[in-house]
Structures are given as C-alpha cells and as structure tokens.
Amino acid sequence: MRNEMIKLKSEHEIGLMREAGKILAEVHNRLSEIIEPGISTLEIDRRGEEWIREFGCIPSFLNYEGYPASICVSIDDEVVHGIPKENVILREGDIVSLDAGVIYQGYHSDAARTHAVGRISEENQRLIEVTRQSFFEGIKYAVAGNHLYDISAAIQKYVEKNGFSIVRDLVGHGIGSHLHEEPQIPNFKPRFRRGPLLKPGMTLAIEPMVNAGDWPVWFLDDDWTVVTQDGENSAHYENTIYIRPNGEPEILSL
C-alpha cells in the first residue's frame, strides 16, 4: 500500500474529527447505560440515532452501502454488523457489541464497545477485557516512524498469548471525510510485509475483533451480519486515533 494513497489531515480537519470523537464517546457512554436484559436491539439503535442527531451529527452507518440502521448491534457469536430488530431481545448473560459512527461537519469518527448484559461468565468477561486491552497494546506502536503492521502484530501477539484468536476476514481502516479510507489495517501481522510508514496527520480506526474460539467467520444471508463459524462468542473494541507529530497517538473517540 502506497503512502501517497493515505490522506494526511490538517490541524483544521483534526479539530473537526476531535469534536466528532467527543460526541461519539458520549453516545457510547449513554448507550452503555441502557444495556440490560429485556431491551430490544431496535430500541438500542433508536436511542443511539436520537442522541447522534441531538448533537447535530449524522449517523455514519445509516444507509451506508445499504446498511439499514445507525448502530450495529451484535450479540454473542455475532462478530460485527448485526442488524437491530424489534424481536431480538438482550438476555441475562449475553455479551453485546455496539459499533457506531458519527459525521460532524463532514468528518467521521468510528468506535465500538462490547458490553456485558447483566451478570456474565468469567470467560466472557475475560474476552471483553482482552479485546479492549489488545487495542491499547497495538497503539503503543502507533507512532510516526513505525510501520502500520507493528500495530497489527502487537494486537495479534497479545490476543493469542491470552488464548483467543483474532478475526482475519475483517480489518480496521483509515478514516476522515470518508468512513473508510486507506489504509486497511489488519489485526494480525501479514507475512513478509511491514505496511505503510506511519506519518503525522494519519487518522486510523483500529478495531480488534477477537473470538473465544477459532478465527474463521461466516457472513449470514442478510449480507451484513458476521458470525463465528464455530459458534463461540466474539468481542469488538474500536477507537479513532490520530498519529501526532511527536509522541503517543491521540485517541479521538475516548
């Protein structure tokens, strides 16, 4: 992947993305407070869209390539892109991943969180925690002068060290005035390659998707929902980050 295909953002653009990220973080905070047994996935989507618009933003996902909702709601073995439905109800012991994006003055932010529904098993709790921490292990390498796959390798190493597997059919991505920009960001280290050089002004959506079992996944007949092939649970954690001129990256969606 050539660096010249990757859009470097100006300070003005970073300012807009920073505001988008703050708003998205608040939307996720509010969503976390309504996750409980008995709520429908459609109600989660309805409330999420309401809050996004309340902040003067547009949902990034609604009608994106035909996706019919504002919040992707994925339960248990659903990895990503679950479609909210009125008759799909959260139950005690489930885990649920919420993926959301906002557009603020033409610029996107994208973030995902996995939540416990009531009391969950220790294994599910550990899956959520390892997935979240794998993101932070990865972005230790999100520094100008490193290579993109340094991030990928660190995520994979941490996940596998903890006995889980990293999904390989889905990746993170660049982000800015478009939801998906170059580069694609695998959560595992591709063989024989280092990936693009990280430069100041890059904005990236880093999003480990971690399975309790093996990594292969299926796409369901709705052409959106991705599930684990072995039926084991999956967790998802994502933030939009900015590669700064000096030092550690800035997490725009926390």
Side-chain angles (χ1 to χ4, degrees):
M1 191 158 313
R2 302 193 309 274
N3 274 310
E4 59 264 35
M5 297 169 64
I6 300 170
K7 298 176 182 176
L8 303 180
K9 310 305 189 297
S10 67
E11 273 302 315
H12 173 69
E13 291 174 301
I14 294 299
L16 295 176
M17 292 185 70
R18 190 177 282 126
E19 187 61 28
K22 285 181 186 174
I23 290 166
L24 182 54
E26 176 58 25
V27 169
H28 268 296
N29 287 341
R30 293 186 184 190
L31 287 169
S32 71
E33 293 172 359
I34 65 169
I35 297 302
E36 62 182 6
I39 192 170
S40 73
T41 57
L42 189 66
E43 176 65 8
I44 294 168
D45 176 63
R46 188 187 68 77
R47 299 281 286 277
E49 180 177 350
E50 182 181 289
W51 290 325
I52 289 168
R53 295 191 187 280
E54 183 183 300
F55 283 111
C57 292
I58 298 167
S60 296
F61 298 171
L62 185 60
N63 300 319
Y64 181 80
E65 296 186 354
Y67 185 76
S70 299
I71 314 293
C72 298
V73 187
S74 308
I75 303 171
D76 288 346
D77 67 332
E78 295 174 346
V79 181
V80 286
H81 305 158
I83 297 174
K85 296 183 176 70
E86 189 169 10
N87 64 348
V88 177
I89 308 298
L90 298 188
R91 300 175 301 178
E92 183 87 18
D94 285 344
I95 62 172
V96 61
S97 299
L98 306 181
D99 191 357
V102 306
I103 309 170
Y104 174 79
Q105 295 187 21
Y107 283 81
H108 293 260
S109 189
D110 189 3
R113 309 282 186 263
T114 300
H115 302 279
V117 182
R119 296 186 64 177
I120 62 172
S121 69
E122 287 184 15
E123 181 71 355
N124 278 335
Q125 187 61 46
R126 203 170 74 83
L127 175 63
I128 292 172
E129 290 169 359
V130 167
T131 303
R132 181 182 186 278
Q133 186 58 34
S134 73
F135 165 86
F136 289 99
E137 296 298 320
I139 67 163
K140 290 176 182 177
Y141 297 87
V143 175
N146 284 348
H147 286 260
L148 185 69
Y149 298 162
D150 295 336
I151 301 171
S152 308
I155 291 171
Q156 179 183 16
K157 181 178 179 182
Y158 183 79
V159 166
E160 293 178 353
K161 180 180 76 174
N162 280 278
F164 298 124
S165 64
I166 199 81
V167 173
R168 297 182 180 224
D169 294 313
L170 302 152
V171 296
H173 50 92
I175 185 169
S177 58
H178 295 85
L179 177 59
H180 293 114
E181 298 181 353
E182 294 293 349
Q184 292 191 355
I185 309 167
N187 296 301
F188 62 94
K189 173 70 167 67
R191 296 179 67 193
F192 312 125
R193 297 174 62 201
R194 301 177 70 192
L197 187 69
L198 297 177
K199 294 184 176 182
M202 287 183 177
T203 45
L204 310 172
I206 309 289
E207 51 177 322
M209 290 154 271
V210 177
N211 293 349
D214 206 354
W215 63 263
V217 297
W218 301 113
F219 285 75
L220 296 187
D221 289 343
D222 62 18
D223 289 332
W224 282 107
T225 310
V226 179
V227 300
T228 60
Q229 285 193 16
D230 59 14
E232 295 290 327
N233 285 353
S234 186
H236 186 197
Y237 188 83
E238 176 185 22
N239 282 303
T240 299
I241 70 166
Y242 158 49
I243 305 295
R244 293 195 282 206
N246 297 297
E248 296 178 354
E250 180 180 351
I251 302 174
L252 300 176
S253 51
L254 272 183

